[in-house]
Amino acid sequence: MKRLFTFGGTARLLGTLSAAMILAASPQAFADTAYPDRPVRVVVPYPAGGNTDIIAREVAKRLSVKLGQNFIIDNKPGANSIIGTEAVAKAAPDGYTLLVAIGAYANNFALYKKLPYARSDLAPVSQLTNTSLVLVTGRPGITSVKQLVTAGQDKNAPLTFASSGVGSAAHLLGERFARSSGMTSTQHVAYKGSSEAVSDLLAGRVGYMFDAVSAMGAHIKSGRLTALAVTGGSRSPLLPEAPSVREAGYPDMVAYAWSGLLAPAKTPKAIVDKLAATISEVLKDPELVAKLASISTDPVGSTPAEFDKFLISESDVNGKVIKALNISLD
């Protein structure tokens, strides 16, 4: 009887301790199974209707189905994405406020001396997409990267290149290309938006420009612009005749426009990992792949660690250009 009583008492004690341990661990240990139990806000720091917004809405729609809660897009444009990014950086780290970021997020840490948030305030979740850009010109007689570079090395008539603004992805890529190719006399012309830049490009008032294939496709198809190279690691199926920059002899110019998802720092790892895994799954949806292809974008899907490594690389590469040009947007 004594042994039976001891065994029973031990069992009861172990059961009590196990229950206590489960209750103590439940907020994080079981976050992956409980999350989400209410709607999730996904902040897009750009206006509705653009490619970033389209990507965010398509992914959010499928996350809603997979995870059983609404992922609601909240457009908070302004200040080169800083307004929306700050809102997420200062949100509760519970997985219910997320940020869709693009290249400006990584570049802003070098472009601004003072930001209302630090890099450590946000945690990478997953890279969503990559978008190959295209190098185009409207100048007659220039049909290859080699010819463009030769023209750009003429100090008596230096080429100009267009972008949608100082510090923009197109500006930094144009500067990188000028340095990589030895076109040291090339001059940057900043516009208030892509439409004005494209107008002068078509008229031949500026020499070249980098932009998304989807934005330039119609002009290339009509013959008004010539696609010299795409910036992805391989040729684009939308422009199969245009070589990659790697093929054209500039492997260090492989670059993409991209989008990714971040969460407030200290969001439970179980939630971050669950989001990353689900994103990788939904990005394989054939319907979504086709939708992204229509805007010349490819799905990625990555682990938080992989996305963190990518962000560090992006900040480093473009940060060096920003520093060399002494650009500050404060």
Side-chain angles (χ1 to χ4, degrees), residues 34-43 56-74 94-98 261 275 278:
Y35 174 86
D37 61 9
R38 62 180 188 272
V40 178
R41 181 169 68 122
V42 182
V43 174
R57 289 179 187 277
E58 292 295 328
V59 172
K61 181 167 63 176
R62 288 161 178 82
L63 287 176
S64 298
V65 173
K66 282 288 183 184
L67 296 176
Q69 288 290 340
N70 287 329
F71 280 68
I72 302 167
I73 300 299
D74 180 9
D94 55 11
Y96 291 93
T97 305
L98 305 172
L261 194 73
L275 281 169
T278 308

Side-chain angles (χ1 to χ4, degrees), residues 51 131-134 136 194-195 198 201-202 209-221 225 238-239 294-296:
N51 280 3
T131 303
S132 182
L133 305 179
V134 59
V136 291
S194 292
S195 59
V198 172
L201 185 69
L202 290 167
M209 183 177 178
F210 288 93
D211 208 337
V213 174
S214 58
M216 295 297 183
H219 301 304
I220 295 168
K221 188 175 181 180
L225 292 177
L238 297 177
L239 296 171
S294 71
I295 55 173
S296 64

Side-chain angles (χ1 to χ4, degrees), residues 17 30 104 111 121 142 210 216-217 278 309 324:
L17 287 173
F30 298 104
L111 288 170
D121 290 332
I142 297 179
F210 288 93
M216 295 297 183
T278 308
K309 184 177 179 180

Side-chain angles (χ1 to χ4, degrees), residues 117-292:
Y117 52 85
R119 193 188 305 272
S120 58
D121 290 332
L122 288 150
V125 176
S126 177
Q127 186 178 349
L128 300 176
T129 61
N130 267 338
T131 303
S132 182
L133 305 179
V134 59
L135 170 60
V136 291
T137 184
R139 295 288 175 87
I142 297 179
T143 59
S144 69
V145 173
K146 184 177 180 180
Q147 289 174 334
L148 179 73
V149 170
T150 298
Q153 290 174 337
D154 183 355
K155 295 182 179 180
N156 296 318
L159 281 179
T160 54
F161 73 93
S163 83
S164 57
V166 173
S168 66
H171 174 206
L172 299 178
L173 196 55
E175 294 286 0
R176 283 175 57 194
F177 178 64
R179 283 161 172 70
S180 179
S181 62
M183 296 193 297
T184 54
S185 299
T186 297
Q187 298 174 1
H188 171 230
V189 181
Y191 292 82
K192 293 181 179 180
S194 292
S195 59
E196 293 180 11
V198 172
S199 293
D200 276 4
L201 185 69
L202 290 167
R205 286 188 284 271
V206 289
Y208 66 93
M209 183 177 178
F210 288 93
D211 208 337
V213 174
S214 58
M216 295 297 183
H219 301 304
I220 295 168
K221 188 175 181 180
S222 70
R224 300 183 69 190
L225 292 177
T226 301
L228 302 177
V230 293
T231 65
S234 59
R235 295 193 179 205
S236 167
L238 297 177
L239 296 171
E241 295 182 2
S244 68
V245 286
R246 181 176 287 157
E247 289 178 77
Y250 299 95
D252 58 329
M253 286 299 300
V254 173
Y256 298 91
W258 56 269
S259 67
L261 194 73
L262 295 101
K266 298 182 181 180
T267 297
K269 184 178 184 298
I271 290 177
V272 171
D273 289 344
K274 183 172 186 177
L275 281 169
T278 308
I279 286 167
S280 291
E281 186 178 351
V282 303
L283 286 173
K284 296 173 184 175
D285 177 1
E287 183 183 345
L288 177 56
V289 173
K291 179 67 178 180
L292 294 175

Side-chain angles (χ1 to χ4, degrees), residues 43-46 76-90 99-100 104-105 107-109 111-118 122 329-330:
V43 174
V44 177
Y46 298 97
K76 296 182 75 67
N80 200 21
S81 81
I82 293 172
I83 292 173
T85 302
E86 180 184 10
V88 178
K90 295 181 177 179
L99 174 72
V100 174
Y105 168 76
N107 297 340
N108 281 351
F109 293 106
L111 288 170
Y112 294 87
K113 294 182 177 68
K114 293 182 180 179
L115 287 171
Y117 52 85
L122 288 150
L329 300 184
D330 286 299

